[in-house]
């Protein structure tokens, strides 16, 4: 049975194998259906509206020829799963590992990524988070230009490849999160408007026209995206979704799309008998995202917290440009490590207005905030795609992985990868290919990257993509192996000492010196002490045991702890 939603069409046909067309019958709600004898798994097809060009199915499960080709019938039941023993994973206590399938390995496929799972098991992560995997223009892309949202990019391995990867992760004890983009679609190969009012008639963002979540016919549009989320979680055995840029949703309805989505996912979780997680990326600093629905919130499991990143990055790197301008002080670092947000109703100089809302430290647990020293944005949105150096990473990771939040690592950071993560595209349409560099530069006006044009490589140059691939000889190499050992030790310490995984924000406190640039964070019976300055500091802490130190020169005395410059230690006081 072929079906498609085209509420304003006067005639719809399904085209089989780029040849014969079959009339479809209009049904209730603008849905058209057709039975085509002989059509089955592997049959190529497309839909024609009112006698026009045939386009891919808006709900295509398989796009073997790319975003401009026909769809192919895909039967989910043909895949034989091997993860029957998987009971899911919960976010509290977990460490997330974000990766881009195309650059994680030389091959750039799901199967090759599955071959690296033992590395992730030894590292100690609980979840892998995949950057978006729906089809994109050309062969390589970050994924945020995706279209055909129900399908999987063929270059990565298509729908079966994603299933094999999820299967392998579950057998290794690792959950899978998938980054999904519901705020816009890519500029190339987006044919949804040919079928119905999927796009908003006026609202838009920098990335493109907004989705119609609150206008006429938006009930069916919302079902399209809710159904997409359900597909990943049910049919691909994905354990949770990261929702890209939810602040760009345009929705004025009484029941917000996020609340509707969270309700559906909770119901699916009960049906499947395993936990399912929704994480929002939001430039809002609004705790209502993670407040339970019965308390008036949206009921999401967690939200990305950029303020923690900005404070950590500024503190260990010294950068103060663009949105880092309000950060960098030890007071800012102490505030985010104890309260999640720095801007919680305070004035943001980057935005030129007050921003955010306070977190109730007594009621909102820290695990509801996904925090990081690096992620795809914070590296890739730099002109040169450069990463933090090893010393800064060790300090930032020490503070992150001993924090009350849900930590997330970006692929390669655990060994201080020397490879950049650059912005790359492979647009096949000349007008998009020729202007991509200029569009990218315009996006970051005011961010303090004045040398963008002279530093950022051409995103359309294939070498830009290949330069972003990880070098898997590095983890065992001097200078990288020591950083990997440090990350493993931190994650093991977090797992072995409940105080470090305790998400209760009201039990976290911090002392600091602005002048000497040290901070001591209290985590139950433990103290996390960091010296971010250029001179040794001696802190009045009577230490019974130093559990982990970034520098062998860290020394404990009868009533004090001495830290050399740029070092961190986790200690148990007397």
């Amino acid at each position: 049975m072929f079906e498609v939603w085209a509420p304003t069409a006067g005639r719809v046909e399904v085209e089989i194998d780029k040849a014969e067309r079959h009339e479809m019958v209009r049904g209730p709600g603008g849905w058209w259906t057709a039975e085509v004898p002989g059509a089955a798994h592997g049959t190529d097809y497309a839909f024609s509206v009112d006698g026009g060009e045939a386009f891919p199915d808006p709900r295509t499960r398989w796009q073997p020829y790319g975003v401009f080709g026909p769809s192919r019938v895909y039967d989910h039941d043909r895949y034989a799963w091997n993860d029957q023993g998987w009971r899911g994973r919960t976010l509290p206590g977990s460490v997330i590992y974000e990766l881009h399938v195309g650059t994680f390995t030389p091959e750039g496929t799901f199967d090759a990524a599955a071959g690296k799972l033992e590395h992730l098991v030894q590292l100690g992560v609980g979840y892998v988070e995949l950057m978006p995997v729906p089809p994109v223009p050309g062969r390589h892309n970050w994924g945020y230009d995706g279209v055909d949202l129900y399908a999987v990019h063929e270059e990565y391995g298509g729908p079966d490849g994603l299933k094999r990867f999820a299967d392998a992760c579950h057998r290794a004890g690792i959950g899978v999160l998938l980054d999904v983009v519901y705020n816009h679609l890519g500029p190339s190969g987006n044919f949804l408007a040919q079928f119905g009012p999927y796009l908003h008639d006026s609202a838009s963002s920098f990335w493109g026209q907004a989705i119609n979540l609150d206008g006429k016919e938006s009930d069916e549009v919302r079902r399209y995206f809710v159904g997409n989320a359900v597909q990943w979680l049910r049919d691909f055995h994905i354990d949770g979704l990261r929702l890209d840029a939810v602040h760009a949703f345009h929705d004025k309805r009484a029941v917000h799309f996020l609340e509707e989505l969270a309700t559906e996912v909770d119901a699916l979780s009960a049906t499947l008998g395993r936990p399912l997680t929704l994480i929002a990326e939001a430039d809002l600093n609004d705790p209502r995202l993670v407040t339970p629905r019965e308390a008036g919130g949206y009921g999401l499991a967690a939200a990305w917290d950029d303020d923690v990143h900005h404070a950590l990055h500024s503190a260990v790197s010294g950068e103060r440009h663009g949105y880092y301008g309000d950060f960098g002080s030890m007071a800012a670092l102490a505030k985010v490590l104890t309260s999640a947000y720095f801007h919680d109703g305070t004035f943001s100089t980057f935005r030129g207005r007050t921003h955010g809302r306070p977190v109730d430290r007594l009621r909102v647990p820290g695990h509801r905030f996904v925090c990081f020293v690096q992620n795809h944005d914070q590296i890739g949105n730099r002109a040169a795609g450069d990463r933090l150096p090893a010393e800064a990473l060790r300090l930032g990771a020490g503070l992150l992985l001993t924090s009350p939040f849900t930590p997330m690592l970006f692929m390669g950071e655990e060994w201080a990868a020397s490879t950049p993560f650059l912005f790359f595209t492979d647009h096949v349409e000349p007008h998009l290919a020729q202007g991509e560099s200029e569009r990218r530069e315009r996006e970051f006006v005011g961010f303090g990257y004045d040398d963008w044009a002279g530093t950022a490589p051409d995103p359309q140059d294939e070498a830009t993509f290949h330069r972003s691939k990880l070098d898997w000889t590095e983890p065992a190499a001097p200078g990288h192996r020591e950083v990997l050992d440090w990350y493993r030790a931190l994650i093991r310490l977090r797992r072995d000492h409940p105080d470090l995984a305790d998400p209760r924000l009201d039990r976290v406190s911090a002392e600091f010196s602005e002048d000497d640039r040290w901070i001591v964070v209290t985590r139950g019976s433990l103290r996390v002490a960091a010296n971010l300055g250029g001179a040794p500091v001696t802190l009045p802490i009577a230490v019974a045991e130093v559990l982990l130190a970034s520098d062998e020169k860290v020394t404990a005395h009868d009533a004090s702890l001495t830290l050399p410059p740029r070092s961190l230690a986790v200690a148990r006081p007397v």
Side-chain angles (χ1 to χ4, degrees), residues 86-218:
W86 178 250
R87 294 293 177 264
R89 178 177 287 278
T90 57
L91 201 60
S94 294
V95 176
I96 302 172
Y97 188 93
E98 185 189 24
L99 66 86
H100 176 267
V101 176
T103 55
F104 184 57
T105 64
E107 300 86 350
T109 65
F110 293 120
D111 290 339
K116 300 296 185 184
L117 288 179
E118 182 57 30
H119 168 82
L120 300 183
V121 170
Q122 292 180 8
L123 182 59
V125 302
Y127 285 100
V128 167
E129 180 176 311
L130 300 177
M131 290 173 65
V133 301
V136 293
R139 296 158 296 167
H140 44 260
N141 190 288
W142 274 19
Y144 300 93
D145 290 326
V147 294
D148 302 325
L149 298 187
Y150 282 68
V152 180
H153 191 44
E154 196 69 13
E155 294 283 332
Y156 294 163
D160 278 358
L162 177 57
K163 288 181 177 180
R164 288 193 299 271
F165 180 77
D167 223 347
C169 284
H170 291 164
R171 294 197 304 274
I174 296 175
V176 182
L177 304 172
L178 179 63
D179 196 341
V180 294
V181 185
Y182 295 158
N183 60 76
H184 76 286
L185 288 101
S188 183
N190 175 17
F191 303 118
L192 286 185
Q194 308 296 325
F195 294 92
Y198 284 93
L199 304 179
H200 203 281
D201 56 9
S202 59
S204 64
S205 69
F206 184 89
W207 311 294
Q209 199 169 350
I211 303 302
N212 174 25
L213 296 175
D214 59 2
K216 291 182 179 180
E217 302 284 0
S218 59

Side-chain angles (χ1 to χ4, degrees), residues 465-535:
F465 167 65
H466 287 291
R467 286 177 58 200
S468 301
K469 287 180 177 282
L470 291 178
D471 178 357
W472 281 91
T473 68
E474 287 188 340
H480 298 284
R481 181 177 59 246
E482 294 82 2
V483 178
L484 179 57
D485 290 343
W486 173 245
Y487 270 79
R488 286 174 174 168
L490 282 166
I491 294 173
R492 185 167 55 250
L493 192 70
R494 182 183 180 87
R495 182 179 62 242
D496 292 346
H497 291 270
D499 284 335
L500 295 180
D502 188 344
R504 289 173 289 186
L505 293 174
D506 62 311
R507 298 197 175 191
V508 184
S509 61
E511 302 174 79
F512 61 90
S513 168
E514 207 70 73
D515 292 336
D516 295 329
R517 295 193 60 76
W518 59 259
I519 186 170
V520 177
V521 183
T522 296
R523 301 300 323 279
S525 64
L526 304 181
R527 302 292 183 271
V528 180
N531 176 15
L532 306 183

Side-chain angles (χ1 to χ4, degrees), residues 307 311 326-337 341-342 512 514:
D307 279 18
D326 291 336
F327 299 87
S329 69
M330 302 307 290
L333 182 60
K335 182 175 180 180
V336 299
L337 290 176
Y341 293 143
F342 178 73
F512 61 90
E514 207 70 73

Side-chain angles (χ1 to χ4, degrees), residues 6 66 278 332 390 474 554:
L278 291 180
E474 287 188 340
V554 170

Side-chain angles (χ1 to χ4, degrees), residues 232-294:
W232 298 123
L233 301 169
R234 180 193 61 210
D235 300 330
F236 287 90
H237 292 202
I238 300 299
D239 299 289
L241 304 175
R242 181 263 193 188
L243 308 170
D244 179 65
V246 302
H247 54 272
F249 288 167
H250 189 279
D251 185 5
K252 296 181 179 178
R253 292 172 62 158
V255 178
H256 194 278
F257 172 72
L258 287 173
E259 183 180 351
E260 180 180 341
L261 179 61
T263 303
E264 290 282 348
V265 169
D266 282 350
L268 180 63
S269 175
T271 300
L272 298 178
R274 58 184 172 90
L276 301 173
T277 300
L278 291 180
I279 301 171
E281 184 217 7
D283 183 24
L284 297 172
N285 285 20
D286 187 353
R288 287 179 295 182
L289 290 168
V290 298
T291 299
R293 291 190 299 280
E294 56 268 29

Side-chain angles (χ1 to χ4, degrees), residues 360-558:
D360 186 335
R361 298 175 64 237
L362 185 63
R363 292 179 172 83
V364 181
H367 66 73
R368 295 202 181 277
F369 302 94
V370 175
C371 302
F372 30 80
V373 180
Q374 298 189 134
N375 64 34
H376 74 272
D377 271 334
Q378 302 300 341
I379 301 172
N381 287 345
R382 299 169 70 87
D386 51 309
R387 300 166 177 260
L388 284 171
E391 181 189 68
L393 271 179
R394 288 166 69 95
L395 290 170
L399 291 167
L400 173 69
L401 289 166
T402 57
S403 76
F405 310 118
T406 297
M408 188 182 79
L409 315 179
F410 182 66
M411 60 176 198
E413 93 168 59
E414 71 274 20
W415 71 74
S418 65
T419 49
F421 186 71
L422 297 158
F423 180 69
F424 46 81
T425 55
D426 188 27
H427 290 300
V428 296
E429 295 172 282
H431 72 285
L432 291 173
Q434 292 169 7
E436 190 61 61
S437 292
E438 289 78 6
R439 283 192 296 274
R440 186 69 172 165
E441 184 174 359
R442 287 198 305 272
E443 184 176 353
F444 292 96
V445 171
F447 280 60
Y449 298 125
D450 299 330
D451 62 342
W452 190 282
T455 304
D458 181 359
Q460 282 286 121
D461 185 345
E462 189 167 352
T464 304
F465 167 65
H466 287 291
R467 286 177 58 200
S468 301
K469 287 180 177 282
L470 291 178
D471 178 357
W472 281 91
T473 68
E474 287 188 340
H480 298 284
R481 181 177 59 246
E482 294 82 2
V483 178
L484 179 57
D485 290 343
W486 173 245
Y487 270 79
R488 286 174 174 168
L490 282 166
I491 294 173
R492 185 167 55 250
L493 192 70
R494 182 183 180 87
R495 182 179 62 242
D496 292 346
H497 291 270
D499 284 335
L500 295 180
D502 188 344
R504 289 173 289 186
L505 293 174
D506 62 311
R507 298 197 175 191
V508 184
S509 61
E511 302 174 79
F512 61 90
S513 168
E514 207 70 73
D515 292 336
D516 295 329
R517 295 193 60 76
W518 59 259
I519 186 170
V520 177
V521 183
T522 296
R523 301 300 323 279
S525 64
L526 304 181
R527 302 292 183 271
V528 180
N531 176 15
L532 306 183
V537 295
T538 298
L539 305 176
I541 302 174
V543 174
E545 181 184 10
V546 175
L547 300 176
L548 188 64
S550 66
D551 192 309
E552 61 184 12
K553 295 180 181 178
V554 170
T555 56
H557 306 284
D558 291 342

